[in-house]
Amino acid sequence: MMSGAIPEIETFEEEELTNARLMIEQEAEDDNQELPSLEEFNATWEACFSEWAYFPSRNAYGRISTATKADRIESAKHRFEALRAEADAQAGRARKLEARLKMRLGGYAKVADQRAAGLNRVQQEVENAQIESSCHSMLLANETAAIPRRIADAEGRAALEAEAEELLQAEYQRLVEEKAALLAARAAARKEASAKKTAAKRARRAQEEKEMLEEEEEERKKSAAVVAGAKSKAGAPEAMVLESEESTEPPKEAAAVIAAAS
């Protein structure tokens, strides 16, 4: 619950309220008057500052034109020291502000650096892709222009290769036929030589057998003569006749060999 009495609100007449409203509007119009521009303010400030200065010995401001040289030097030193102190103070505040900003915005700065590195990498990739695209486009144009000439060259080389292949095939066929003829001639020559060799062997063998038979016949004749002489001495003429008949008839084996040789 609220404690205390309710304050009494003062009542005003309508005329008083109208006058108050007019006064507020007039004050608002006075506040909305146009202010001097920055150039005008700077010009006024420079005019006042160039004419007036602070003199530490006097502990007051005064006109520069009426001051002595020592006062002007002292005023310049005081102004320099004041500006240096202000600069140091501003630098200290800037360092503190930088430290606070670094502490607060360190994460954002790190992310920004990463994003910047990523953007640089993407930009480099885009530039490389553009260079590669231009190179590929140039190569495509060159290759497209060279295709008809290369096709004509390939067709010419193919025709030459086909002609050379036909010549080589014909030469190969001739050599194959020549080889077959040479092999057939060599086989026939070998067969003929083998037949001649076999015939010579047979003739030589027949001659040897014939000579052997003749030698055997000669031996038989000699043996028969010896036997006949011995029998004649013994008085057996019939035995000599029979022996001579047997010796004049050639053996069957010798007759077969002679027939084969002939």
Side-chain angles (χ1 to χ4, degrees):
M1 296 179 62
M2 296 180 62
S3 61
I6 298 174
E8 184 179 355
I9 299 175
E10 185 179 0
T11 58
F12 296 95
E13 298 293 337
E14 184 66 27
E15 184 178 357
E16 293 176 344
L17 294 175
T18 301
N19 293 332
R21 188 178 297 108
L22 292 175
M23 292 174 64
I24 292 173
E25 291 177 357
Q26 184 64 35
E27 185 177 358
E29 290 178 0
D30 294 340
D31 291 339
N32 289 333
Q33 291 180 359
E34 185 178 358
L35 297 175
S37 63
L38 182 61
E39 289 77 8
E40 294 175 352
F41 179 81
N42 289 333
T44 304
W45 172 262
E46 289 294 335
C48 295
F49 187 77
S50 61
E51 181 64 24
W52 293 82
Y54 177 78
F55 299 104
S57 60
R58 303 178 190 176
N59 195 18
Y61 284 91
R63 291 181 179 276
I64 297 176
S65 59
T66 60
T68 62
K69 184 177 181 180
D71 290 338
R72 288 197 296 270
I73 293 173
E74 188 179 6
S75 176
K77 288 182 179 180
H78 180 270
R79 183 183 175 191
F80 174 76
E81 293 295 336
L83 292 175
R84 184 168 64 178
E86 182 65 21
D88 293 339
Q90 292 291 340
R93 286 194 293 270
R95 285 193 296 270
K96 292 180 181 179
L97 181 60
E98 183 180 2
R100 288 197 299 270
L101 289 176
K102 187 175 182 180
M103 183 180 297
R104 291 185 179 182
L105 304 178
Y108 296 105
K110 185 176 181 180
V111 173
D113 293 338
Q114 293 176 355
R115 298 290 175 82
L119 289 175
N120 292 332
R121 184 174 61 256
V122 172
Q123 180 66 25
Q124 186 65 34
E125 291 177 357
V126 170
E127 292 178 358
N128 294 335
Q130 291 176 351
I131 294 172
E132 292 177 359
S133 177
S134 61
C135 293
H136 291 165
S137 299
M138 185 181 298
L139 289 175
L140 177 61
N142 294 335
E143 293 296 328
T144 303
I147 284 174
R149 177 177 54 81
R150 292 181 178 178
I151 291 176
D153 294 342
E155 290 177 350
R157 289 195 299 270
L160 293 176
E161 290 291 336
E163 184 178 356
E165 183 68 19
E166 290 179 359
L167 295 176
L168 291 175
Q169 289 293 337
E171 182 66 16
Y172 177 75
Q173 183 65 27
R174 185 186 66 79
L175 293 175
V176 168
E177 293 176 355
E178 184 177 355
K179 179 181 178 182
L182 291 174
L183 291 176
R186 186 172 65 178
R190 286 182 177 179
K191 186 175 181 180
E192 184 178 358
S194 178
K196 289 181 178 180
K197 188 175 181 181
T198 302
K201 286 182 178 180
R202 288 179 179 178
R204 186 169 59 253
R205 184 177 178 183
Q207 183 66 26
E208 291 176 355
E209 290 179 354
K210 184 177 180 181
E211 290 177 356
M212 290 176 62
L213 290 175
E214 289 178 354
E215 290 178 357
E216 290 178 357
E217 183 66 22
E218 187 67 26
E219 291 293 332
R220 287 180 181 179
K221 287 181 179 181
K222 289 180 180 181
S223 299
V226 172
V227 171
K231 286 184 177 182
S232 62
K233 291 180 180 181
E238 294 179 359
M240 293 176 62
V241 173
L242 292 173
E243 186 69 24
S244 62
E245 289 178 357
E246 291 177 359
S247 61
T248 57
E249 184 179 357
K252 295 181 179 181
E253 294 179 358
V257 171
I258 293 170
S262 61

